[in-house]
């Protein structure tokens, strides 16, 4: 069944390019939703629309006795101005599909088409999750609220591009057991002191001095409090405080992100950031408050499901084009973690990195592009996984 995806390669490219022209951001993707609905109608596939965002859940064999498998694509783009000179360039000012989610949507539509055409041979239901807002980690929770995983036995998703390593050639499929991507959370520390004239610091409490101690203290957490084999990151990307050289301000804002591969380390970082901030501030007579903007947990693949998906991929592409172990997982995050928190499954990668076609740029770069030749492979592996799972 999966080999039929080769026959729709041209259609997959067209869909990807159509979507590439109309990138939309966040939870509200009206044009993208309209496009996906039109395709589902054309294919004669049943679907429901989410409450709360532009997400769509499509069904093949809805309610058919047997197992239920869910396949997921994300549909949102980024606030980036496209630098590629292609005839399917973004027509939306300041917005771009610079992460390949246009390809994800196209590949999942292709898989839905082929699975629907062969639905009688499937012993169960396939559910297709077209989610919004992956880039801000808000789309998957809305999907869960709309019961996307109700009754689902396993969930699979693929990310195209150069994520793991740009030297992995286009057309290589990667699926590994265990943690494959990190948690990603944002934190904001508000340090409060007491403003005064710069000539008389003893009359106030200097929040800039406190912030300097907090920054160094946070580095100490990473250096001294985690096992050296555990990858964890704390990065501060934004500090703001003060307006003039001779005024001690009232307040400093410190904003950053944390990454980890276990829930334990993720929670420990949040706890220790709060303690270091609070006690550093207290030591100098000020206060500090932590706000955690929780993003997504680490993406942890079920070992059995990863092995199963790897075998399916090998049947589609051949052993030489499938990687089932990598040197290190990726420090980036993915809100696919929300699904893996509910049911077993695997998050997979399809390389589209090809220097000859200049598709080896990093994700979120204004030059990001994909080698479209691999699109059918993404659909075919989805089809193979679903048809094997429902045998
Ligand atoms: Zn992205
Ligand atoms: Zn992405």
């Amino acid at each position: 069944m999966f080999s039929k995806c080769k026959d729709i390669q041209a259609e997959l490219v067209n869909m990807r390019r159509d979507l590439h022209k109309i990138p939309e951001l966040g939870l509200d993707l009206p044009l993208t939703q309209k496009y996906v609905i039109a395709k589902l109608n054309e294919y004669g596939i049943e679907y429901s629309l989410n409450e709360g965002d532009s997400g769509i859940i499509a069904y093949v064999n809805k309610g058919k006795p047997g197992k239920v498998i869910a396949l997921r694509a994300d549909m949102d783009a980024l606030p980036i101005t496209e630098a590629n000179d292609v005839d399917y360039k973004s027509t939306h000012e300041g917005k771009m599909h610079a992460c390949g989610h246009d390809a994800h949507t196209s590949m999942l539509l292709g898989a839905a088409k082929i699975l629907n055409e062969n639905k009688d041979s499937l012993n169960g239901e396939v559910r297709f999750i077209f989610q919004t807002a992956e880039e801000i980690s808000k789309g998957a929770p809305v999907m869960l609220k709309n019961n996307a995983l109700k009754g689902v036995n396993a969930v699979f998703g693929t990310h195209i591009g150069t994520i793991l390593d740009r030297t992995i050639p286009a057309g290589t499929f990667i699926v590994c057991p265990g943690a494959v991507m990190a948690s990603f959370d944002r934190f904001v520390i508000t340090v409060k002191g007491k403003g005064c004239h710069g000539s008389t610091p003893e009359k106030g409490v200097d929040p800039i001095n406190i912030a300097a101690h907090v920054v160094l203290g946070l580095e100490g957490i990473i250096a001294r409090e985690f096992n050296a084999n555990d990858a964890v990151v704390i990065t501060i990307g934004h500090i703001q405080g003060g307006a003039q050289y001779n005024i001690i301000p009232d307040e400093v804002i410190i904003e950053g992100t944390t990454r980890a591969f276990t829930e334990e380390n993720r929670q420990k970082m949040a706890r220790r950031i709060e303690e270091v901030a609070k006690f550093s501030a207290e030591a100098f007579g000020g206060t500090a408050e932590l706000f955690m903007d929780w993003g997504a947990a680490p993406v942890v693949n079920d070992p059995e499901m990863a092995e199963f998906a790897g075998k399916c991929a090998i049947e589609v592409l051949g052993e030489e084009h499938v990687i089932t172990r990598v040197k290190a997982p990726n420090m980036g995050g993915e809100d696919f973690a929300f699904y893996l928190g509910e049911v077993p499954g695997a998050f997979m990668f399809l390389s589209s990195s090809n220097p000859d076609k200049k598709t080896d740029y990093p994700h979120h770069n204004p030059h990001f592009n994909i080698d479209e030749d691999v699109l059918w492979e993404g659909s075919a592996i989805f089809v193979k996984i679903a048809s094997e799972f429902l045998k």
Side-chain angles (χ1 to χ4, degrees), residues 124-201:
E125 174 184 328
V126 191
R127 207 169 292 173
F128 303 89
I129 297 174
F130 294 93
Q131 81 159 72
T132 67
E134 190 288 319
E135 294 291 356
I136 53 168
S137 186
K138 301 277 185 259
V142 180
M143 269 295 165
L144 293 180
K145 266 191 212 142
N146 283 274
N147 296 321
L149 290 187
K150 202 174 174 191
V152 167
N153 300 104
V155 62
F156 294 88
T158 305
H159 209 304
I160 203 166
T162 59
I163 291 185
L164 286 182
D165 186 344
R166 60 196 275 271
T167 64
I168 298 174
T172 309
F173 200 77
I174 304 118
V175 55
C176 304
V180 292
M181 291 186 85
S183 61
F184 68 112
D185 301 305
R186 183 179 77 102
F187 65 86
V188 183
I189 300 167
T190 306
V191 177
K192 286 207 163 94
K194 192 175 154 209
C196 63
H197 197 286
S199 64
T200 53

